[in-house]
Amino acid sequence: MAMQNFSLTPARIGKYKGQILAHAVPAEVLGRTGRQVKFPKNNSDTYVARRWLPYGATATNASTQNQFFQNGTGSRDVAIATAHLTQEGVTPAPDSIVPLDITVVMQQYSCLYGFTDKTYDLYEDDIPQQMITQVGERMTFVNEMIIYGALRACTNQYFGGTGTTVATTNGAISLGLVRRIAKNLQANHGKPVNSVLKASANYGTDAVAQGYTVYCHTDLEPDIRDLPNFIPAEKYASGTPMPNEIGKCERFRFITSPDLPSLQDAGATVASTGSQFYSTTGTNIDVYPFIVAAQDAWGQIAVRGKESLNPTYIPPGEKSKSDPLGQRGYAGTIWWKSVMIENQGWMAVGFVGVKVLTN
């Protein structure tokens, strides 16, 4: 007699996990970067990342946490060298190293679709299969919003034009603006990003040319292409463009997505900017955040691999107290996700307007 290993529902759940991931991962932009953390079960709901302050650094702000040379008068190089002079036979006083802990609490998210036995048995389209596709794409969308919201809260902020806040932002992305960001990241020892995750459900990296990655809405693409020194991705002399990468400008590689929304009507008044920037209502300009990241600037509890999902697929016909006739079916999943900025000085967020396109 042949052995029957699985009943109907467990077998379809196994296949369902793979189908979710197949539709989820290719849609990622932010989800492919950052330090990926596998969070094991039964280890509390809190994750603590630890880094160590370098010599001479203090925990005061994003810059002092990363720079050996703090602000001060005189020859700081000479002062540091002098402090390390050693006298013959004299043991120097030992220093200690200072940890900097970043704590994040895991959050649970879910999505669920429902259908009836009539849809399951008689509808001309395979609605449950379409729901599986929607679950994967929706999960990715939610994860992108979680990451985007967390990274947008970075304290290392820059504003277009003469703006000093989101509400006073009155300029577009410019070469001067991105150079200011590059100067800051370099001063804070932010390393260029040289790897991204593959477009698969597994963990892995693909080598790419070095540079700081910039993530922004697709509406910024025309303004980015107008930057001096911009090189389209199709004209790269070497290296492989990242998914959704449109090109580079000096030290920056630009990756766009329609799922990184603007802050509608959040900037300066349209009239004060000469009506050259897009506005949803025509009163204040829309402000578009763009995220700039160096290597290891942030981390995420990653949803990658089948073990990270807890999906639900209940076809009609399974009777229970809540559904005694087995008339309803469900498709969905539940998962854990959290994001943490691990080094404010290794990333930045810019806020700009988008120029109105003309013929």
Side-chain angles (χ1 to χ4, degrees), residues 58-124:
T58 67
T60 305
N61 56 51
S63 292
T64 63
Q65 293 174 7
N66 298 290
Q67 296 181 8
F68 302 108
F69 292 97
Q70 304 304 321
N71 291 332
T73 59
S75 300
R76 289 174 289 167
D77 52 339
V78 174
I80 289 178
T82 301
H84 288 77
L85 283 173
T86 301
Q87 296 182 15
E88 181 180 358
V90 178
T91 302
D95 295 317
S96 59
I97 57 176
V98 180
L100 185 63
D101 291 341
I102 300 94
T103 301
V104 63
V105 178
M106 296 292 294
Q107 300 291 334
Q108 194 173 52
Y109 300 87
S110 65
C111 64
L112 183 67
Y113 291 99
F115 53 94
T116 66
D117 55 348
K118 182 176 181 179
T119 298
Y120 185 76
D121 293 332
L122 302 179
Y123 200 81
E124 59 268 25

Side-chain angles (χ1 to χ4, degrees), residues 91 104 115 119 134 139 169 200 216 224 231 239 258 284 286 341 352:
T91 302
V104 63
F115 53 94
T119 298
Q134 291 283 332
M139 184 183 71
T169 297
S200 72
C216 60
I224 293 171
I231 300 174
N284 293 79
D286 293 354
I341 297 177
V352 295

Side-chain angles (χ1 to χ4, degrees), residues 200-214:
S200 72
N202 301 316
Y203 286 79
T205 58
D206 284 332
V208 296
Q210 288 192 341
Y212 299 124
T213 49
V214 180

Side-chain angles (χ1 to χ4, degrees), residues 235-315:
K235 293 185 178 180
Y236 285 177
S238 62
T240 303
M242 291 181 274
N244 300 304
E245 181 176 0
I246 63 171
K248 63 181 295 184
C249 179
E250 298 189 354
R251 291 183 176 270
F252 295 96
R253 302 180 64 165
F254 294 92
I255 300 171
T256 63
S257 168
D259 295 330
L260 305 180
S262 65
L263 305 173
Q264 294 183 345
D265 304 300
T269 61
V270 171
S272 68
T273 62
S275 301
Q276 60 176 318
F277 296 106
Y278 182 77
S279 169
T280 299
T281 67
T283 304
N284 293 79
I285 69 171
D286 293 354
V287 176
Y288 288 79
F290 62 91
I291 310 296
V292 185
Q295 186 173 320
D296 297 328
W298 62 282
Q300 59 176 312
I301 310 301
V303 179
R304 301 185 84 85
K306 293 183 179 180
E307 72 279 2
S308 61
L309 295 180
N310 185 14
T312 294
Y313 182 77
I314 304 175

Side-chain angles (χ1 to χ4, degrees), residues 148-356:
Y148 186 52
L151 301 189
R152 203 181 66 202
C154 172
T155 58
N156 194 16
Q157 299 181 343
Y158 295 80
F159 305 93
T162 59
T164 55
T165 63
V166 171
T168 57
T169 297
N170 59 1
I173 191 169
S174 65
L175 186 60
L177 180 61
V178 297
R179 280 177 171 173
R180 285 170 53 205
I181 294 174
K183 180 180 178 180
N184 176 266
L185 294 180
Q186 290 175 288
N188 286 319
H189 300 93
K191 298 179 181 178
V193 176
N194 55 19
S195 63
V196 295
L197 286 174
K198 294 179 180 178
S200 72
N202 301 316
Y203 286 79
T205 58
D206 284 332
V208 296
Q210 288 192 341
Y212 299 124
T213 49
V214 180
Y215 302 93
C216 60
H217 194 278
T218 48
D219 285 358
L220 267 73
E221 182 171 338
D223 293 344
I224 293 171
R225 291 186 180 276
D226 286 342
L227 290 174
N229 308 322
F230 177 80
I231 300 174
E234 59 269 20
K235 293 185 178 180
Y236 285 177
S238 62
T240 303
M242 291 181 274
N244 300 304
E245 181 176 0
I246 63 171
K248 63 181 295 184
C249 179
E250 298 189 354
R251 291 183 176 270
F252 295 96
R253 302 180 64 165
F254 294 92
I255 300 171
T256 63
S257 168
D259 295 330
L260 305 180
S262 65
L263 305 173
Q264 294 183 345
D265 304 300
T269 61
V270 171
S272 68
T273 62
S275 301
Q276 60 176 318
F277 296 106
Y278 182 77
S279 169
T280 299
T281 67
T283 304
N284 293 79
I285 69 171
D286 293 354
V287 176
Y288 288 79
F290 62 91
I291 310 296
V292 185
Q295 186 173 320
D296 297 328
W298 62 282
Q300 59 176 312
I301 310 301
V303 179
R304 301 185 84 85
K306 293 183 179 180
E307 72 279 2
S308 61
L309 295 180
N310 185 14
T312 294
Y313 182 77
I314 304 175
E318 295 193 10
K319 300 177 182 180
S320 65
K321 290 183 179 180
S322 61
D323 186 13
L325 298 179
Q327 295 171 288
R328 296 187 297 276
Y330 299 94
T333 192
I334 194 167
W335 71 98
W336 295 93
K337 185 74 176 182
S338 284
V339 178
M340 53 193 166
I341 297 177
E342 299 187 36
N343 194 318
Q344 299 278 0
W346 290 353
M347 67 175 300
V349 57
F351 298 90
V352 295
V354 167
K355 294 179 183 177
V356 175

Side-chain angles (χ1 to χ4, degrees), residues 121-134:
D121 293 332
L122 302 179
Y123 200 81
E124 59 268 25
D125 295 322
D126 189 351
I127 296 299
Q129 181 58 49
Q130 294 305 313
M131 288 180 174
I132 291 173
T133 300
Q134 291 283 332

